[in-house]
Amino acid sequence: MRGHLACAMLATMTSAAMITAATAQVSDDAVRIGVLTDLSSWGRDNSGPGSVEAAKMAVEEFGPTVLGKPIEIISADHQMKTDVGVQIVRGWFDNGKVDAVVDIPNSGIAIAVHNMVRERNKIALLSGPGASSLTDELCSPNTVHFTYDTYALSKVTASAVIKEGGKSWYFITADYAFGQQLEKDATRFVNEMGGKVLGGVKHPTNTADFSSFALQAQSSKADVVAFANAGQDTDNAIKQSGEFGLVQGGQKLVGLLMFDTDVHAIGLKAAQGTYMTTASYWNMDEATRAWSKKFYERTKVMPTMIQTGVYGSVLHYLKAIKAAGTDDSAKVMAKMRELPIEDTFVHGGKLREDGRVIRDMYLAKVKSPEQSKEPWDYLDIVKTVKGEDAFRPVSESKCPLLKK
């Protein structure tokens, strides 16, 4: 009797396995992921080659195959040019059989690709861009905005700085989609908390000389000088503001988008005391330290939140393909929304219908040289802000995909 039962169970299990194998479908017999990043311009250090390595580390952690098919990582440099980025992605879709596009630092390029992904029914896993409009009025069922956005950066940072007495603000802003959105979001929270914006100045990207901008900020007498830019622009702006004595004169410096690599480039002496908001930090616990050590061995720098976001978004995408039994975009997106997001840096994350990943954010303050105990020991995590409190609530959203 037991033998017959065992045989019946084995037959059932074998049948189930055959059905699963039969229904598992991967287009073109491979899952291809394209990392579209900045390999040559001002965002290279914060994303760039590190983003490519982070994607590869996600594949290595998951395994070399999914549903029995190989996982391929390819990469390209968008050169911070929208037309170049769009041309690359169009070629990937038309000829390269790419299923998902990852990273895309630069919000202008990300918005263009995000629209193309929706038209082609592919998937965008965005870690690099910050424009919160991607999951607001421009929301798409095919986009995952994984790491941060201008809403969360502005809300978390502005709230903390105003509570410390930084009531009047002056902005030094990069003149493109991301910088403009970041200033707009920060202005809103400054005003809501009883602060006041005294003025600001916009600069082109990849600016080397910030002396005139720093002097204008100094002459404004604002309590806070906020930098709504990124990459080498942030590095140069904060470093030169320090040289002009803004901090010694009593002004607070706020990097609305800063990374560990920016602090490394600026140096603790010039950057100390600067507030910033981050979605991850290498030195949070044993698991983040171990992962970051592996990353450092490959890149010789500690990971930024963009790079850990590339790792996390690729890993979650692969888990969703496995759970869905197919790489069909709609089914995979449904599984990505259904499954909790768990990786080395994200715990209990959730993908909302508008494409926004709800995850904890961290308010940090740059240490002084005396406080730093080891290489890359740059940040004090001042406060953990729950994702529900950091990101745009459903009640404020313009996204038609959300049920209010």
Side-chain angles (χ1 to χ4, degrees), residues 11-330:
T12 301
M13 292 170 64
T14 303
S15 176
M18 290 173 65
I19 292 170
T20 300
T23 56
Q25 297 179 356
V26 173
S27 58
D28 305 309
D29 289 324
V31 172
R32 296 182 180 86
I33 300 169
V35 183
L36 184 65
T37 191
D38 176 18
L39 297 172
S40 59
S41 189
W42 51 265
R44 184 182 189 278
D45 292 342
N46 301 329
S47 53
S51 287
V52 179
E53 289 302 314
K56 292 178 180 178
M57 288 175 70
V59 174
E60 290 165 14
E61 182 175 325
F62 181 83
T65 64
V66 59
L67 302 178
K69 303 298 182 180
I71 304 164
E72 299 177 8
I73 299 291
I74 62 174
S75 61
D77 181 7
H78 61 38
Q79 302 173 35
M80 288 295 176
K81 298 175 181 177
T82 301
D83 59 338
V84 172
V86 168
Q87 183 178 5
I88 290 168
V89 176
R90 184 177 292 115
W92 279 352
F93 291 164
D94 290 345
N95 307 311
K97 300 178 181 179
V98 166
D99 300 293
V101 182
V102 183
D103 197 13
I104 321 186
N106 185 304
S107 291
I109 301 172
I111 289 169
V113 172
H114 154 93
N115 291 332
M116 189 192 310
V117 163
R118 176 167 44 194
E119 292 167 4
R120 299 295 188 92
N121 195 29
K122 301 289 187 174
I123 290 177
L125 305 170
L126 304 180
S127 185
S132 61
S133 58
L134 283 159
T135 54
D136 194 25
E137 65 268 25
L138 301 179
C139 70
S140 162
N142 296 71
T143 289
V144 178
H145 205 180
F146 195 87
T147 307
Y148 70 99
D149 64 25
T150 53
Y151 186 102
L153 294 179
S154 302
K155 183 177 181 180
V156 174
T157 308
S159 299
V161 173
I162 288 178
K163 286 178 181 177
E164 286 210 349
K167 298 293 187 181
S168 58
W169 288 55
Y170 187 92
F171 288 94
I172 296 179
T173 301
D175 194 12
Y176 74 112
F178 166 77
Q180 294 162 11
Q181 184 75 57
L182 191 54
E183 180 182 336
K184 179 182 177 181
D185 286 342
T187 297
R188 171 200 163 170
F189 292 115
V190 168
N191 291 333
E192 285 184 359
M193 297 194 66
K196 184 179 181 181
V197 176
L198 301 184
V201 62
K202 289 182 170 58
H203 66 83
T205 57
N206 217 13
T207 295
D209 185 3
F210 280 85
S211 56
S212 64
F213 306 130
L215 288 171
Q216 290 178 65
Q218 189 176 47
S219 64
S220 75
K221 307 294 184 183
D223 301 328
V224 178
V225 178
F227 302 94
N229 47 21
Q232 292 177 1
D233 287 337
T234 302
D235 301 349
N236 291 334
I238 291 180
K239 187 179 293 184
Q240 291 173 38
S241 295
E243 292 169 356
F244 279 98
L246 271 66
V247 175
Q248 292 88 332
Q251 291 177 299
K252 297 178 186 293
L253 303 185
V254 169
L256 289 171
L257 177 62
M258 280 186 69
F259 304 94
D260 311 52
T261 46
D262 294 319
V263 180
H264 188 75
I266 297 166
L268 288 178
K269 185 176 180 181
Q272 62 182 311
T274 302
Y275 280 101
M276 56 185 280
T277 296
T278 185
S280 69
Y281 181 46
W282 74 270
N283 201 16
M284 295 286 285
D285 55 42
E286 288 301 322
T288 61
R289 282 189 284 273
W291 191 95
S292 299
K293 182 179 179 181
K294 291 179 183 177
F295 182 88
Y296 184 87
E297 288 170 354
R298 300 165 75 140
T299 64
K300 303 309 175 188
V301 293
M302 285 300 182
T304 67
M305 66 172 169
I306 289 180
Q307 292 155 350
T308 64
V310 168
Y311 151 76
S313 61
V314 170
L315 186 61
H316 191 59
Y317 172 63
L318 295 174
K319 289 177 181 178
I321 292 175
K322 181 179 180 181
T326 176
D327 65 349
D328 175 79
S329 294

